[in-house]
Amino acid sequence: VGDGVDRAATAAKGHPIAVGIVALGVGWIASALIPPSRIERRAADSVKDAAAPIMHEAGDALADAADNLREPAREAAANVSEAASEAVENVRSDAESAAVDVRGDSGSGDHSGDHSGWDPATASGPVGSPGTAAPAKSTAPSTSTAPRGARPQR
């Protein structure tokens, strides 16, 4: 037994934080296993009784704060919803405008809106019509006014 104590003391000598953590754990376990005394129970009851009015006031204050924040939160949610709806409408309008611009720039002379023969590989006119060979690929940046990834309507 004496040899084990000497080894533990030697190992703990260079690690004071580890010794403190172990001591804290041992004390916590011991306090959980030993039942509270009458004096400790009375002290805990008196603290609980003294804290009850404070807890009641805190609960009332939290309820009031929740009531006061409910309406501003609803208004904020309505504002966000309205802004999102406006943004959707703006995007829809911009997309329709871009589609009209693309139809007007097609150069096919067919402005009836029938694009059933449109060929995305050549990006011009109906498939098989004269002069619809695919344009040479350019490394220059695109100058299109249509949003990136926009597809023509068919």
Side-chain angles (χ1 to χ4, degrees):
V1 175
D3 188 38
V5 172
D6 288 339
R7 268 191 278 154
T10 303
K13 198 174 202 178
H15 305 287
I17 293 176
V19 171
I21 291 172
V22 169
L24 179 70
V26 169
W28 183 44
I29 291 171
S31 70
L33 296 175
I34 300 172
S37 67
R38 273 184 271 151
I39 296 171
E40 289 172 327
R41 269 190 248 123
R42 272 189 264 151
D45 288 342
S46 67
V47 168
K48 186 168 62 171
D49 292 342
I54 295 170
M55 295 300 292
H56 183 69
E57 288 177 24
D60 289 345
L62 287 174
D64 289 344
D67 289 341
N68 293 337
L69 292 175
R70 190 169 289 125
E71 190 57 34
R74 283 187 186 140
E75 289 175 8
N79 289 340
V80 168
S81 176
E82 184 179 329
S85 296
E86 288 177 13
V88 166
E89 187 56 39
N90 288 342
V91 168
R92 182 179 293 130
S93 174
D94 290 349
E96 288 173 357
S97 176
V100 168
D101 290 348
V102 168
R103 284 186 205 120
D105 291 344
S106 69
S108 66
D110 179 18
H111 297 291
S112 65
D114 178 21
H115 297 285
S116 58
W118 188 79
D119 182 10
T122 61
S124 64
V127 178
S129 63
T132 59
K137 295 205 178 206
S138 170
T139 58
S142 173
T143 59
S144 171
T145 59
R148 245 185 211 185
R151 293 187 194 174
Q153 293 181 347
R154 290 184 179 219

